[in-house]
Amino acid sequence: MSEYDDVQMEYILELYRNPRNKGTIENPDITHQEGNPSCGDEIRIDVKLDGDRIGEIKFSGKGCAISQAAASILTEMVKGKTLEEVKKLTKEDMLKAIGVPLSPIRLKCGLLALKVLKAGLYGIKGWPGEEE
Ligand code: FES
């Protein structure tokens, strides 16, 4: 692992210990929960809309450091964005934001929050499911 990866891994662990936007929202406009089939961990994401933008966003559930840090990073990343902008976020965007190389098994951990959020958005807007 390079020095850069060490620093980024410290950041991931710090987010795991002190995640941003952890919790639930009362009467959310969007709520969705899904699990990582490879381990059974689940993440739920609640969103309160501000027009067509993400006003408030919280995540809850349990999972490994990577999944929790990724949820923290994602929720920070999408706050204030329009639903259309969030819809365009790709796996690559998420992995870049996580910033540490992930093994194939760990990819599911890193992408779980994005999967949950997108499924929730597609649900409310009637968008087709994520192309996988
Ligand atoms: Fe369960 Fe990572 S091991 S989400």
Side-chain angles (χ1 to χ4, degrees):
M1 227 184 222
S2 72
E3 197 179 317
Y4 170 77
D5 291 338
D6 283 347
V7 171
Q8 190 64 12
M9 189 45 95
E10 254 318 301
Y11 172 62
I12 296 289
L13 292 175
E14 172 54 25
L15 283 181
Y16 176 54
R17 290 187 288 259
N18 296 301
R20 316 283 190 268
N21 309 311
K22 185 103 197 236
T24 55
I25 296 176
E26 222 171 294
N27 300 320
D29 295 309
I30 300 169
T31 182
H32 191 74
Q33 177 166 340
E34 243 177 90
N36 176 348
S38 51
C39 64
D41 291 337
E42 300 228 327
I43 285 184
R44 170 181 145 182
I45 293 183
D46 295 346
V47 174
K48 198 87 181 158
L49 295 174
D50 178 7
D52 68 341
R53 289 178 185 275
I54 306 275
E56 200 185 340
I57 181 163
K58 300 257 189 208
F59 77 95
S60 53
K62 66 172 181 71
C64 61
I66 294 285
S67 72
Q68 299 293 293
S72 176
I73 291 168
L74 177 68
T75 50
E76 282 290 280
M77 208 157 86
V78 300
K79 245 188 228 175
K81 283 204 169 26
T82 66
L83 299 184
E84 282 300 317
E85 285 169 335
V86 177
K87 185 185 164 192
K88 290 195 188 110
L89 280 179
T90 63
K91 293 175 189 175
E92 288 69 34
D93 294 331
M94 188 71 239
L95 295 176
K96 199 169 158 203
I98 294 170
V100 290
L102 300 177
S103 66
I105 284 284
R106 286 293 181 178
L107 274 182
K108 287 203 169 77
C109 306
L111 294 172
L112 179 58
L114 182 63
K115 181 176 151 195
V116 174
L117 179 60
K118 281 202 164 188
L121 294 188
Y122 285 129
I124 193 180
K125 301 298 280 183
W127 286 328
E130 201 180 359
E131 58 294 314
E132 284 201 63

